[in-house]
Amino acid sequence: MEQFEGTILTGESFEPVRGRVVVADGRIEAVEQTDTTSTDIVLPAFVNAHTHIGDSVAKEAAVGLSLDEAVAPPDSLKHRRLAAASRTELVTAMRRTLRFMERTGTTAFLDFRESGVEGARALRDAAREQMVDPFIFGSEDPAVLEVADGFGASGAADDDFAARRAAVREAGVPFAIHAGEPDADDIHPALDLEPDLLVHMVHAEPEHLARVAERETPIAVCPRANLVLGVGRPPLRDLLDHTTVALGTDNVMLNAPSMFREMAYTAKSFDVTAREVLRMATTAGCEITGRNAGVVEAGRAADLLVLDGDSDNLAGCADPIRGVVRRAGLGDVETVVSSTGG
């Protein structure tokens, strides 16, 4: 049994409570309000809702390139680098990225994994004995579902995914798809596939949002990647007003997969509250995957992040939630607790 004391960001509203969290066998046993001298801040660990971890073999290689030049299948720089990397190079690079993600407070992530069955197996190997748990959206053929947790489509304009969507539905696992990244042209075709998750939706318009709200389709947004690729800014306030929105860091080649950096950029650049951003970085990703975490309350999986609230960076913050979302970083991390145990 372990105990973590300090200011606890409790429940779905992240209400700050002075007390302790009691953990046993990977579960939160109790959240107790009590006097404590600890200055730590205890909150849910992060869930990175959209990544391409395979891009770990090409960090910063796409600087200055357009969306198509950088990542579009099949001939972009990204795909050339993936094809050129040996399996050992790929697994080693992904494993190092996972270690960085864990140190920055992430215990789960939703990855679009290229290269079909072999690509999914490579990520499984990279994640073995790590504290960061992958939810893998596999690619190419539905046979990938033998290894992956769902299927991830590049975009409705890239191919005809109807047959693969039917196979994924038959398998009873999630189907996710990129939509509305360069423009709005592929959003309706993506929605026609009745996805379980949409990624980006930078160019979503009212007619698209009405369809999203009708089916309660969640969306993963990646504002920093959109900025780097010059595709625009997601209408984040409108998205939040229509459905569940989760936060992701997208391609490792474009940005470090730090949820601290993604939260700070989002909170300072969009019409959102710190609480909304923290929910996007924690609870929302758990809801999308059915993970019993993302909230600090009894009975939940013990995926927790403990920050030093008296660090030189965080000491004196007027509000712990704003401090976590807008200011905190790797240097403030005291402990990361994962229910998977590594």
Side-chain angles (χ1 to χ4, degrees), residues 179-233:
E181 188 176 10
D183 53 49
D185 292 349
D186 65 354
I187 298 180
H188 278 310
L191 288 167
D192 290 343
L193 293 167
E194 298 185 343
D196 301 293
L197 174 65
L198 291 160
V199 180
H200 293 305
M201 295 292 278
V202 174
H203 297 280
E205 299 170 357
E207 61 194 87
H208 306 124
L209 295 175
R211 294 185 67 185
V212 165
E214 182 179 4
R215 294 196 68 249
E216 299 181 340
T217 307
I219 297 170
V221 296
C222 309
R224 285 189 304 151
N226 300 153
L227 175 69
V228 171
L229 292 171
V231 298
R233 290 162 49 89

Side-chain angles (χ1 to χ4, degrees), residues 63-145:
V63 174
L65 299 184
S66 69
L67 174 66
D68 286 347
E69 293 169 330
V71 301
D75 299 319
S76 66
L77 180 146
K78 164 200 173 92
H79 289 276
R80 295 197 304 272
R81 289 293 183 95
L82 287 173
S86 70
R87 192 178 194 281
T88 298
E89 290 170 335
L90 179 66
V91 170
T92 299
M94 291 194 294
R95 186 174 290 133
R96 298 191 73 168
T97 290
L98 297 183
R99 292 202 297 263
F100 171 79
M101 292 171 70
E102 185 255 315
R103 288 198 301 273
T104 51
T106 295
T107 57
F109 64 103
L110 286 62
D111 191 74
F112 270 48
R113 184 74 268 272
E114 298 81 7
S115 306
V117 173
E118 287 307 310
R121 284 179 177 155
L123 179 50
R124 290 280 182 223
D125 287 348
R128 189 172 293 119
E129 299 182 0
Q130 305 299 309
M131 290 180 64
V132 188
D133 188 26
F135 189 100
I136 301 175
F137 287 101
S139 61
E140 297 185 3
D141 189 277
V144 75
L145 300 179

